[in-house]
């Protein structure tokens, strides 16, 4: 499983766009990039997953450059409720490895009023 | 959507006793579930893979005799912390893969269970 590196923490203000970048220099050809969100005392929640270029859903966008050695999670117009820890994971599609996930340190996002 | 539920949400036990945490897939069958442990301000650490009808697979450094895992049915996995000590106090989280291949890229996590050993 590819090792990931994320900033330990980030601060933002309500209404701003937040971009969290994850480095994964050793990503393999078959690896996907997945982001999870975790609130205190809760299990992680799936945010978005992608393989290349750009993926967008109702919650966030994921930008992946051509070399796939990094990825950026973009949260548009954050609110106080977006304060959480965000994890970047890299690995083969879940159904090929049964769902085993290895979490890195994550990025603690603090949104201020 | 698919839901994974844990019980209890929190438990306090005396040192030396055993405590069981349940993980249920509520509307789908999960042949494989996963157990994680998370200490405050730290990331999730995978403890073991729970396989229905067979022995669990433990990650390196996790004591299988201390953390007993049983996956007796397709919707239930249990984690029993035996002879608990204060250092076992932690947040325990389970997860399961989505029910079909089309949704199989999604892993569903339980709400987590706080264990405090006094």
């Amino acid at each position: 499983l590819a090792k990931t590196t994320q900033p330990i923490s980030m601060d933002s203000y309500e209404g701003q766009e937040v971009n969290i970048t994850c480095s994964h220099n050793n990503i393999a050809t078959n690896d996907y990039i997945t982001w999870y969100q975790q609130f205190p005392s809760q299990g992680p929640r799936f945010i978005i997953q992608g393989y290349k270029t750009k993926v967008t859903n109702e919650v966030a966008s994921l930008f992946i450059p051509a070399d796939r050695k990094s990825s950026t999670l973009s949260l548009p117009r954050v609110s106080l409720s977006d304060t959480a820890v965000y994890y970047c994971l890299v690995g083969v599609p879940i159904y090929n490895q049964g769902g085993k996930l290895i979490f890195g340190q994550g990025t603690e996002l603090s949104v201020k009023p | 959507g698919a839901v994974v539920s844990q019980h209890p949400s929190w438990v306090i036990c005396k040192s030396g006793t055993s405590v069981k945490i349940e993980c249920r897939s509520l509307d789908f069958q999960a042949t494989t579930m996963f157990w994680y442990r998370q200490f405050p301000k730290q990331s999730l650490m995978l403890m073991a893979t729970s396989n229905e009808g067979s022995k669990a697979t433990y990650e390196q450094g996790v004591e299988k005799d201390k953390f007993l895992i049983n996956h007796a049915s397709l919707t239930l996995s249990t984690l029993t912390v035996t002879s608990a000590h204060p250092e076992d106090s932690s947040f325990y989280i389970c997860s399961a893969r989505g029910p079909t291949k089309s949704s199989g890229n999604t892993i569903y996590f339980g709400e987590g269970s706080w264990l405090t050993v006094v």
Side-chain angles (χ1 to χ4, degrees):
Chain A
L1 296 170
K3 178 180 171 58
T4 60
T5 302
Q6 305 173 232
I8 294 176
S9 63
M10 292 182 68
D11 291 331
S12 182
Y13 291 92
E14 282 191 291
Q16 289 187 334
E17 178 185 77
V18 172
N19 296 310
I20 305 174
T21 297
C22 178
S23 297
H24 28 79
N25 292 319
N26 296 323
I27 189 169
T29 302
N30 294 330
D31 285 345
Y32 277 64
I33 300 156
T34 309
W35 286 80
Y36 281 83
Q37 175 192 55
Q38 186 184 27
F39 296 113
S41 298
Q42 293 187 27
R45 183 175 72 100
F46 173 88
I47 300 176
I48 197 166
Q49 184 180 74
Y51 182 80
K52 62 179 180 181
T53 61
K54 177 184 175 181
V55 179
T56 298
N57 61 23
E58 65 277 8
V59 178
S61 293
L62 179 60
F63 298 91
I64 306 169
D67 66 5
R68 302 199 329 121
K69 293 184 182 299
S70 67
S71 60
T72 299
L73 173 72
S74 181
L75 304 173
R77 297 189 298 278
V78 295
S79 63
L80 296 177
S81 62
D82 292 317
T83 294
V85 178
Y86 293 82
Y87 293 97
C88 163
L89 285 80
V90 174
V92 297
I94 297 304
Y95 54 81
N96 283 344
Q97 61 176 19
K100 180 176 178 177
L101 299 177
I102 305 297
F103 286 79
Q105 65 178 15
T107 297
E108 185 171 9
L109 173 65
S110 177
V111 180
K112 302 174 182 178
Chain B
V3 176
V4 174
S5 180
Q6 287 183 236
H7 177 81
S9 299
W10 56 270
V11 58
I12 301 174
C13 71
K14 291 184 178 180
S15 185
T17 63
S18 296
V19 60
K20 180 185 292 185
I21 301 171
E22 296 184 344
C23 177
R24 295 182 183 272
S25 55
L26 296 185
D27 54 0
F28 66 100
Q29 295 180 337
T31 56
T32 304
M33 293 184 175
F34 301 86
W35 287 96
Y36 296 82
R37 179 168 58 179
Q38 185 176 33
F39 294 108
K41 296 295 185 180
Q42 294 187 24
S43 183
L44 286 78
M45 185 193 79
L46 179 65
M47 299 176 65
T49 302
S50 175
N51 304 300
E52 187 270 335
S54 65
K55 292 182 179 180
T57 304
Y58 291 83
E59 295 299 306
Q60 189 174 6
V62 178
E63 300 177 59
K64 62 179 181 180
D65 293 330
K66 181 168 184 62
F67 299 99
L68 301 180
I69 292 173
N70 183 274
H71 197 150
S73 78
L74 287 170
T75 60
L76 174 64
S77 174
T78 60
L79 169 67
T80 301
V81 182
T82 63
S83 187
H85 291 284
E87 57 265 32
D88 297 324
S89 298
S90 185
F91 191 50
Y92 291 87
I93 309 169
C94 70
S95 71
R97 180 168 58 95
T100 64
K101 188 171 183 177
S102 62
S103 65
N105 283 343
T106 300
I107 303 299
Y108 297 96
F109 286 84
E111 312 95 323
S113 299
W114 273 109
L115 168 63
T116 300
V117 184
V118 298

